[in-house]
Amino acid sequence: MVDAVSPTIDLIAPGIDDDVCADPDAFLAGLRRPTIFHVRGRDRARARVVAGTLHGNEPSGLRAIHRVLVDRLEPAVDVWFFLGAVEAARAAPGFAHRMLPGRRDLNRCFRPPFDDLDGAIARDALAQLRAVQPELIVDLHNNTGHNPAYAVGPSTDGAYLGLTALFARTFVHSGMSLGTFSEAFADLAPSVAIECGRAGDPGADATAHAGLVRLLRLEDPEALVVTDPMAILVDPVRVMLRPGVTLAFAARPVPGVALTLVPDVDRHNFQTLAPGTALGWLEGPWPLVAMDEHGRERAHELFLDDGGTLRTRTTFVPMMATTDVAAATQDCLFYAASRQQ
Ligand SMILES: [Zn+2]
């Protein structure tokens, strides 16, 4: 039942008599490495791709995929499920590591050069999954802060919004090129990353599963329509720390720390911030770099140093803010976007 499709990835095509282990943790423990599951649909001529847990500390995608495998849900068309960061996900104490020490962030590896292990995993996954010519592509994630479920995609065309509406009511339009899984399919078909909510929140797991069931049952992608209003955010700017800058989250400035952010900065996620909003305190040289999707540096357009207090300079909507120092340092502090009128 297990085939190695490449030196880095296993392929499992559960047969009619194959039971999938009902316990999600035992299921994860039974995988050898990154694994693709191929489930036959009613229409064998078409295919969809769903990825889950490309970050090892984001369980919702894996749990949703596991549950539809256990339930033997027969999809409308063939579905190829990709479970990416299997080793990181099961490293003790479980779902705790975005990636293993010494490894790269897998969801930044889906573009050349593919010259290390994570690059090879990404290259081999793309070779297998692009070859099936999927008509829809979804990559399921969690994040660490307070966020509603939302999608990230490169177009606000109806099919993208309709695909999003299976999971969420908020869409972030991003032309950013980070080397993500969903970016690597955007030339083929509607392809979105879904941020299902906070890792470990049962509501996030439920969002992932409910949306996945809707995606699998959907007969015709042409029928993807948006019936309820959807919030659309545009022009995301990635706000990061300069290399080597120290960070803390606290209600008052932490001496010796270059940037102290207020401890509930993630409460502002998807809220419109007025100019002058205080976000934290600065000590020493300017700590921020803020890059938009065209590669322009915009930190001083968005923020100002008001006598040691970090304030917003313009109106924007922060997204994906985390209060996890490791996540904020490894990835980014948050994104600053604008609401489409
Ligand atoms: Zn993620």
PDB file of all heavy atoms in Angstrom, residues 6 26 47 108 132 165 224 226 248 267 290 306 321:
ATOM      1  N   SER A   6       9.368   8.897  -4.618  1.00  0.00           N
ATOM      2  CA  SER A   6      10.625   9.602  -4.789  1.00  0.00           C
ATOM      3  C   SER A   6      11.468   9.259  -3.579  1.00  0.00           C
ATOM      4  O   SER A   6      10.982   8.634  -2.639  1.00  0.00           O
ATOM      5  CB  SER A   6      10.373  11.106  -4.857  1.00  0.00           C
ATOM      6  OG  SER A   6      10.199  11.624  -3.552  1.00  0.00           O
ATOM      7  N   ALA A  26      -1.740   8.192  16.319  1.00  0.00           N
ATOM      8  CA  ALA A  26      -1.170   6.927  15.852  1.00  0.00           C
ATOM      9  C   ALA A  26      -1.025   6.944  14.329  1.00  0.00           C
ATOM     10  O   ALA A  26      -0.060   6.413  13.770  1.00  0.00           O
ATOM     11  CB  ALA A  26      -2.055   5.761  16.288  1.00  0.00           C
ATOM     12  N   ALA A  47      -9.005  16.123 -10.930  1.00  0.00           N
ATOM     13  CA  ALA A  47      -8.249  15.984  -9.680  1.00  0.00           C
ATOM     14  C   ALA A  47      -8.207  17.313  -8.925  1.00  0.00           C
ATOM     15  O   ALA A  47      -8.281  18.388  -9.533  1.00  0.00           O
ATOM     16  CB  ALA A  47      -6.826  15.522  -9.977  1.00  0.00           C
ATOM     17  N   ARG A 108       8.372  27.549   2.381  1.00  0.00           N
ATOM     18  CA  ARG A 108       9.137  28.573   1.664  1.00  0.00           C
ATOM     19  C   ARG A 108      10.041  27.906   0.624  1.00  0.00           C
ATOM     20  O   ARG A 108      10.914  28.557   0.057  1.00  0.00           O
ATOM     21  CB  ARG A 108       9.997  29.399   2.633  1.00  0.00           C
ATOM     22  CG  ARG A 108       9.219  30.136   3.710  1.00  0.00           C
ATOM     23  CD  ARG A 108       8.425  31.310   3.142  1.00  0.00           C
ATOM     24  NE  ARG A 108       7.716  32.019   4.204  1.00  0.00           N
ATOM     25  CZ  ARG A 108       6.481  31.710   4.614  1.00  0.00           C
ATOM     26  NH1 ARG A 108       5.817  30.715   4.037  1.00  0.00           N
ATOM     27  NH2 ARG A 108       5.904  32.398   5.578  1.00  0.00           N
ATOM     28  N   VAL A 132      -0.907  15.870 -12.008  1.00  0.00           N
ATOM     29  CA  VAL A 132      -2.314  15.444 -12.031  1.00  0.00           C
ATOM     30  C   VAL A 132      -3.220  16.565 -12.525  1.00  0.00           C
ATOM     31  O   VAL A 132      -4.432  16.397 -12.640  1.00  0.00           O
ATOM     32  CB  VAL A 132      -2.797  14.936 -10.641  1.00  0.00           C
ATOM     33  CG1 VAL A 132      -1.867  13.837 -10.142  1.00  0.00           C
ATOM     34  CG2 VAL A 132      -2.944  16.054  -9.620  1.00  0.00           C
ATOM     35  N   ALA A 165     -14.744  30.730   0.106  1.00  0.00           N
ATOM     36  CA  ALA A 165     -16.021  30.705   0.831  1.00  0.00           C
ATOM     37  C   ALA A 165     -16.363  29.313   1.349  1.00  0.00           C
ATOM     38  O   ALA A 165     -17.205  29.178   2.242  1.00  0.00           O
ATOM     39  CB  ALA A 165     -17.144  31.236  -0.065  1.00  0.00           C
ATOM     40  N   LEU A 224     -18.797  27.349  -7.855  1.00  0.00           N
ATOM     41  CA  LEU A 224     -18.243  28.092  -6.711  1.00  0.00           C
ATOM     42  C   LEU A 224     -18.732  29.536  -6.776  1.00  0.00           C
ATOM     43  O   LEU A 224     -18.342  30.286  -7.668  1.00  0.00           O
ATOM     44  CB  LEU A 224     -16.715  28.076  -6.755  1.00  0.00           C
ATOM     45  CG  LEU A 224     -16.024  26.793  -6.322  1.00  0.00           C
ATOM     46  CD1 LEU A 224     -14.533  26.889  -6.625  1.00  0.00           C
ATOM     47  CD2 LEU A 224     -16.250  26.522  -4.851  1.00  0.00           C
ATOM     48  N   VAL A 226     -19.948  33.113  -4.347  1.00  0.00           N
ATOM     49  CA  VAL A 226     -19.925  33.780  -3.046  1.00  0.00           C
ATOM     50  C   VAL A 226     -21.323  34.324  -2.794  1.00  0.00           C
ATOM     51  O   VAL A 226     -21.794  35.184  -3.531  1.00  0.00           O
ATOM     52  CB  VAL A 226     -18.893  34.917  -3.044  1.00  0.00           C
ATOM     53  CG1 VAL A 226     -18.882  35.609  -1.699  1.00  0.00           C
ATOM     54  CG2 VAL A 226     -17.528  34.369  -3.375  1.00  0.00           C
ATOM     55  N   ALA A 248      10.390  41.442  22.723  1.00  0.00           N
ATOM     56  CA  ALA A 248       9.627  40.948  23.876  1.00  0.00           C
ATOM     57  C   ALA A 248       8.187  41.401  23.714  1.00  0.00           C
ATOM     58  O   ALA A 248       7.898  42.345  22.962  1.00  0.00           O
ATOM     59  CB  ALA A 248      10.212  41.500  25.175  1.00  0.00           C
ATOM     60  N   ARG A 267      -4.691  41.042  19.309  1.00  0.00           N
ATOM     61  CA  ARG A 267      -6.122  41.397  19.397  1.00  0.00           C
ATOM     62  C   ARG A 267      -6.508  42.365  18.285  1.00  0.00           C
ATOM     63  O   ARG A 267      -7.684  42.561  18.007  1.00  0.00           O
ATOM     64  CB  ARG A 267      -6.430  42.050  20.747  1.00  0.00           C
ATOM     65  CG  ARG A 267      -6.191  41.142  21.922  1.00  0.00           C
ATOM     66  CD  ARG A 267      -7.393  40.253  22.175  1.00  0.00           C
ATOM     67  NE  ARG A 267      -7.072  39.266  23.193  1.00  0.00           N
ATOM     68  CZ  ARG A 267      -7.856  38.234  23.490  1.00  0.00           C
ATOM     69  NH1 ARG A 267      -8.986  38.054  22.850  1.00  0.00           N
ATOM     70  NH2 ARG A 267      -7.504  37.379  24.413  1.00  0.00           N
ATOM     71  N   ALA A 290       9.816  46.481   6.600  1.00  0.00           N
ATOM     72  CA  ALA A 290       8.454  46.185   6.145  1.00  0.00           C
ATOM     73  C   ALA A 290       8.460  46.159   4.619  1.00  0.00           C
ATOM     74  O   ALA A 290       8.670  47.180   3.975  1.00  0.00           O
ATOM     75  CB  ALA A 290       7.479  47.249   6.653  1.00  0.00           C
ATOM     76  N   ASP A 306       7.819  57.675  18.161  1.00  0.00           N
ATOM     77  CA  ASP A 306       7.308  58.860  18.841  1.00  0.00           C
ATOM     78  C   ASP A 306       7.968  58.927  20.225  1.00  0.00           C
ATOM     79  O   ASP A 306       7.392  58.496  21.218  1.00  0.00           O
ATOM     80  CB  ASP A 306       5.784  58.761  18.941  1.00  0.00           C
ATOM     81  CG  ASP A 306       5.172  59.940  19.680  1.00  0.00           C
ATOM     82  OD1 ASP A 306       5.873  60.953  19.856  1.00  0.00           O
ATOM     83  OD2 ASP A 306       3.999  59.835  20.089  1.00  0.00           O
ATOM     84  N   ALA A 321      -0.723  38.771  13.322  1.00  0.00           N
ATOM     85  CA  ALA A 321       0.180  39.122  14.419  1.00  0.00           C
ATOM     86  C   ALA A 321       0.224  37.961  15.399  1.00  0.00           C
ATOM     87  O   ALA A 321      -0.792  37.340  15.695  1.00  0.00           O
ATOM     88  CB  ALA A 321      -0.302  40.387  15.124  1.00  0.00           C
TER      89      ALA A 321
END
